[in-house]
Amino acid sequence: MKLLEVRNLKKSYKSKEVLNGISFDMDKTETVVVIGPSGTGKSTMLKCINRLVEPDDGQILLNGMDVMKARKIEKIRQRIGMVFQDFNLFNHLTVLDNVRIGPLKVKKLQKNVATELAMENLKKVGLTSEAKSYPSQLSGGQKQRVGIARALAMNPDLILFDEPTSALDPELIAEVLEVMRKLALDGMTMLIVTHEMGFVREIADRVIFMEKGEIVESGTPEKIFNAPEKERTHQFLAQFTKFGREK
Amino acid sequence: MTHFIEVFFQAFPLLMDGLKFTLELAIISIIFGLGIGMLIGIFRVYGGKFSYTLSTAYVELIRGTPLLVQLFILYFSLPQIGIHLSPFVASVISFSLNSGAYQAEYIRGAIQSVEKGQMKAAFSIGMTKWQSIRLVIMPQALRKVIPSWTNEFVYLIKYTSLAYLVGVPELTAQGEFAASRNFEFMNVFSGVALVYLFVILIVTWLFSNLEKKVKIPGV
């Protein structure tokens, strides 16, 4: 059984179609990266998977469970982590509490167990020393690493990354990518939307190129970057080489 | 000046008796008002159509009518349909309902000023809507509401003087009583004003300390 199956996902805002029938699936431990021009529905697609955005039509199965028909969507969301472009850490909570609140209040684990779990995950992102800090006292890179730890602490089946480095200063991007690289090696299943093409090449098991609410093509990074089948994919990727963003 | 001090100290025990009622009225009403305000504020932001309409109607009704009329309805009109409230209870109810409507508006504004992403993040780790509101939105909104809340408490302390008109022996009433005994209206009411001012300065100071104390570090 596939870990995630997405079938014919559709979403429009008013008359504007944002997702025009997206289908793909993911295996456990797979890292799939979605690339494509801005405004082509990549983020919307990601948010449809945990129904932060309500899809109009289509089917989403997580471990065979129907996400669209879930009576209690929050039960399913516990198993799908999400990392946001602008971090969205809980402003009023310390770093420790940001990571602990899920295990403690959602999973209702005992406080010492939740604390241990939170510290363990802060260690994975290298931020145990900041446990008592508040989000606004952190750099962007640190914030995002806390965001990742918060998602990890729920021990999810899958983590969705919505442009995790787009709001970061260039010098802070590497530390976040480094954490994500480690997660991929540890076998976490990840669905990532990003524009960091060098990183995509290195980390992705599979790349999906999306444009205008549709999947244009998908395949291994080698295929997509070196020998894309579609002209549009080629054109899109050419921009990155032109501006020297590709490593 | 010495005469003023003399008169003031003469009236002082009476004024303190009155102040006790004033503070009771204000404190009980601000707390009930906060309860009402949170409920209505949350309904107005997150409620369904029904609760939104109902709570909006409540806010508009209370804001659109004078507090004194609301108090008179509770104290003088309700007995005509068989509901008798004591002056104190009628005052507490009307002040709480009134303050609740205003606090609801402050809280609504504060809730709406919390970034949208906070709720999304709460949902993303599997919180229910109620958990998200309770654990993520309200702790931030209530911090933001403290300055307006201070204002509301200050207004409320002053508005409690209206309870005089239904016979609660609060500060203004006691001042009136003291003054009419010795016809020292100028001195006694100046003294009354000073007591209000003093209490309100303390309240303002307390709340600004509270604001500093619960401030989120680094924000």
Side-chain angles (χ1 to χ4, degrees):
Chain A
M1 187 170 56
K2 294 284 181 186
L3 181 94
L4 178 73
E5 290 176 61
V6 176
R7 294 279 162 268
N8 202 25
L9 194 64
K10 286 185 178 173
K11 175 73 188 173
S12 37
Y13 290 110
K14 291 185 181 151
S15 59
K16 193 179 180 298
E17 233 170 32
V18 185
L19 298 178
N20 193 9
I22 298 282
S23 302
F24 68 95
D25 42 44
M26 285 178 73
D27 286 316
K28 203 165 158 35
T29 77
E30 206 178 9
T31 300
V32 174
V33 180
V34 184
I35 59 171
S38 302
T40 47
K42 304 185 298 295
S43 286
T44 305
M45 187 271 283
L46 218 56
K47 286 181 187 129
C48 279
I49 290 172
N50 63 356
R51 281 173 57 195
L52 282 186
V53 168
E54 205 59 57
D56 297 335
D57 196 14
Q59 197 183 28
I60 302 165
L61 299 177
L62 180 75
N63 279 324
M65 287 179 302
D66 195 328
V67 176
M68 298 288 285
K69 289 189 182 129
R71 285 276 246 8
K72 289 193 168 167
I73 183 62
E74 55 273 9
K75 289 278 175 215
I76 290 184
R77 286 192 186 129
Q78 292 179 29
R79 311 176 68 156
I80 307 177
M82 185 154 209
V83 174
F84 299 87
Q85 181 176 348
D86 35 15
F87 328 124
N88 295 338
L89 298 183
F90 303 129
N91 299 316
H92 63 302
L93 299 179
T94 61
V95 164
L96 175 63
D97 279 325
N98 261 280
V99 182
R100 184 169 57 180
I101 193 168
L104 189 64
K105 299 291 183 179
V106 177
K107 284 192 167 173
K108 317 252 184 227
L109 298 182
Q110 295 233 317
K111 193 161 184 178
N112 55 342
V113 180
T115 308
E116 214 169 287
L117 189 64
M119 289 309 285
E120 216 171 89
N121 284 296
L122 280 175
K123 197 174 168 193
K124 280 189 197 160
V125 301
L127 280 174
T128 41
S129 59
E130 297 293 338
K132 286 182 179 151
S133 304
Y134 283 82
S136 53
Q137 297 168 321
L138 304 178
S139 72
Q142 290 175 322
K143 283 183 197 173
Q144 196 56 296
R145 281 146 65 198
V146 176
I148 294 172
R150 175 173 68 184
L152 283 175
M154 292 300 289
N155 193 21
D157 297 333
L158 160 75
I159 301 185
L160 310 170
F161 290 83
D162 185 10
E163 302 200 26
T165 58
S166 295
L168 296 177
D169 292 336
E171 73 271 20
L172 301 175
I173 291 176
E175 59 187 83
V176 172
L177 296 185
E178 183 52 40
V179 167
M180 291 171 66
R181 196 175 287 129
K182 257 195 278 172
L183 287 184
L185 289 176
D186 285 352
M188 175 52 75
T189 315
M190 308 199 283
L191 180 59
I192 306 170
V193 172
T194 183
H195 295 289
E196 294 296 327
M197 292 306 161
F199 176 68
V200 176
R201 225 172 222 250
E202 179 196 341
I203 194 183
D205 294 314
R206 199 146 46 89
V207 179
I208 294 175
F209 174 61
M210 235 178 104
E211 191 181 48
K212 292 181 184 149
E214 284 171 8
I215 292 179
V216 177
E217 70 175 296
S218 72
T220 61
E222 292 75 34
K223 183 200 146 196
I224 297 290
F225 285 96
N226 301 336
E229 281 168 17
K230 302 277 166 58
E231 180 54 24
R232 267 308 296 147
T233 316
H234 182 74
Q235 280 173 0
F236 173 73
L237 289 168
Q239 299 169 26
F240 287 89
T241 356
K242 200 161 65 190
F243 293 112
R245 281 193 69 177
E246 205 191 333
K247 276 184 201 157
Chain B
M1 189 63 191
T2 43
H3 182 60
F4 166 73
I5 293 168
E6 202 175 297
V7 172
F8 182 65
F9 274 101
Q10 239 170 31
F12 194 72
L14 272 179
L15 298 188
M16 287 306 106
D17 284 350
L19 181 61
K20 196 183 96 197
F21 279 103
T22 294
L23 290 179
E24 276 176 17
L25 283 172
I27 291 168
I28 297 174
S29 307
I30 194 92
I31 291 170
F32 280 143
L34 177 64
I36 296 170
M38 285 208 281
L39 200 69
I40 301 287
I42 289 171
F43 278 161
R44 289 198 75 185
V45 183
Y46 299 112
K49 210 168 183 181
F50 181 71
S51 51
Y52 173 81
T53 311
L54 213 62
S55 44
T56 304
Y58 168 76
V59 170
E60 295 305 336
L61 180 72
I62 296 286
R63 289 202 306 181
T65 53
L67 176 54
L68 189 56
V69 173
Q70 295 161 14
L71 177 58
F72 279 0
I73 288 176
L74 284 175
Y75 187 69
F76 294 119
S77 310
L78 286 188
Q80 296 195 326
I81 55 167
I83 301 170
H84 298 268
L85 301 171
S86 74
F88 188 82
V89 170
S91 303
V92 163
I93 294 176
S94 77
F95 297 156
S96 301
L97 289 176
N98 191 276
S99 184
Y102 283 92
Q103 292 191 52
E105 280 305 274
Y106 299 141
I107 289 169
R108 179 176 70 104
I111 289 173
Q112 284 170 336
S113 76
V114 175
E115 301 143 51
K116 296 271 171 293
Q118 296 286 304
M119 191 83 162
K120 281 192 188 139
F123 281 159
S124 81
I125 55 170
M127 286 192 191
T128 61
K129 194 170 177 182
W130 170 237
Q131 279 180 320
S132 313
I133 293 172
R134 187 165 54 89
L135 300 169
V136 174
I137 305 298
M138 288 316 275
Q140 298 184 53
L142 289 178
R143 282 177 168 91
K144 289 176 189 241
V145 94
I146 293 173
S148 355
W149 210 56
T150 313
N151 230 0
E152 176 60 21
F153 200 18
V154 165
Y155 272 115
L156 196 53
I157 290 168
K158 293 184 290 182
Y159 276 136
T160 56
S161 61
L162 292 178
Y164 163 49
L165 293 164
V166 295
V168 178
E170 46 68 64
L171 182 53
T172 305
Q174 296 291 31
E176 212 277 330
F177 181 58
S180 57
R181 281 203 309 197
N182 52 18
F183 298 100
E184 291 280 2
F185 288 101
M186 174 61 92
N187 287 323
V188 172
F189 279 120
S190 302
V192 167
L194 277 179
V195 174
Y196 276 113
L197 181 63
F198 182 68
V199 168
I200 283 165
L201 287 178
I202 289 178
V203 165
T204 312
W205 178 77
L206 282 176
F207 276 85
S208 85
N209 274 3
L210 174 71
E211 196 183 338
K212 278 181 210 142
K213 199 166 174 220
V214 300
K215 187 178 164 296
I216 301 164
V219 175

